Amino acid sequence: MRRYLHTSVGIIAVALLLLAGAGRLWADIPGVMDNTVTLTAKEGYISTPEANSIYMWGYALDDGPMQYPGPTLVFTKGQNVEITLVNDLPGGRNVSIVFPGQDNVTFVGGVTGLITQEAPPGGQVTYKFTASELGTYLYSSGTNPELQVEMGLVGAILVKHAGPMTMKAYEHDDTSYDHEVLFLETEIDPWVHWLIESGQEALVDNTEWFPVYWFLNGRCAPDTMLPAGWPLLPSQPYNCMPMIHPGDKLLLRIINAGRDFHPFHTHGNNFSVIARDARILTSDAADPTVGSDLAESHFTITVSPGGTLDAIFTWTGKGLGWDIYGHEQDRDEPPLGNFPGPEDVDHNGNGVIDDVPMDPSGTENAEDHGKPFPVVMPDVKDVTLGTMYSGSPYLGGTGHLPPGEGGFNPTAGFVYMWHSHKEKEMVNNDVFPGGMMTMFIVVPPGVPIPMH
Ligand SMILES: [Cu+2]
């Protein structure tokens, strides 16, 4: 346990070290942006942070490695989409894809299945549809789904506006965002996977299904925080570590691709749920000026199994009652006297002219400008320092740290946990911490967050 904790802290440290470096590329949602895609259903293995290796089935891109989840498919609204599924699964079984929320899916080739057209062993099937509605969608196997979804045949579809920089989740004007992140939630029972791997499928009993691994985008924490495309996780290419500036709007695209409920919890602030199952929560879907007027404010949200949800999260520090930037106090209060200057404004409306400028990003909360940190910081020798502590409680502030401490948060962002609020889902096969958990990072204004 001790060794594991050390390892996990090390991995978080590596993640933050990379975060500090140039060329970060994981703030957005990586995926395949092509309207003609070939997916191959095949077997493979995933890794979990407590050093397990689990047999899986997944959708690969072309003849690439098995992926968990399958490639995130990014289409633009109105695009005609063609997805060819090649069946390379073992055991002489059919496989398929269902596209909940997509209208008028047609097929070429394949064989008729119970739910949809299927690819026979060694064969293929092509699905065609028009990505007619914006939003966040699931795709998954429609063949023996109680087994094939468990084994990993799931993925995400995002339908976006055609303009490359039209960052608006839906037509409505208040669904715009600055950054986006995908949370594809799954869970597995490794016993089922072992039975399949060892050729004992007849012993799989869904009444005894008992998941002990919980994933965000196919990774268990702390691997969620490693970059996308991390070479040691070849079958788990996607990460999950959102990053914003104060005041940025972050679009959360949440998909429940499993069969349990996961109350996902963003510490620090509420978020606004603007859509469910890729349909905006509005009283007038035809009028884009109405906005998501039926949006719900939540602190924790559960998505139905098979469902999706879009929410907008933002964070400014408003309401904390202190100045997150640590701007100087009102030096123009007695007995120091007044210091007139170009920034002489009564920012916080307390009747005193401040001589310290507001944050130029425009997101600073005026009422808290200049207000002191509300507690006396303990002496550095009386605290245990985390690897992410910058030496200062202020956003963008750094301070002196003992030798060997800190260094993993050089931009002095605020870092905190987002996770499933079913606390048992924060483990990897009973080893804490892990599971459906990641870190969220607010970086100071001006620190670049890369986009596509
Ligand atoms: Cu919590």
Side-chain angles (χ1 to χ4, degrees), residues 385-401 405-414:
L385 296 158
T387 51
M388 300 168 206
Y389 187 51
S390 67
S392 160
Y394 299 114
L395 187 65
T398 52
H400 295 294
L401 289 167
E405 297 288 352
F408 294 111
N409 186 9
T411 65
F414 286 167

Side-chain angles (χ1 to χ4, degrees), residues 265 267 417-421 423 426:
H265 177 45
H267 291 186
M417 184 186 291
W418 285 11
H419 65 104
S420 168
H421 224 293
E423 311 292 333
M426 290 176 63

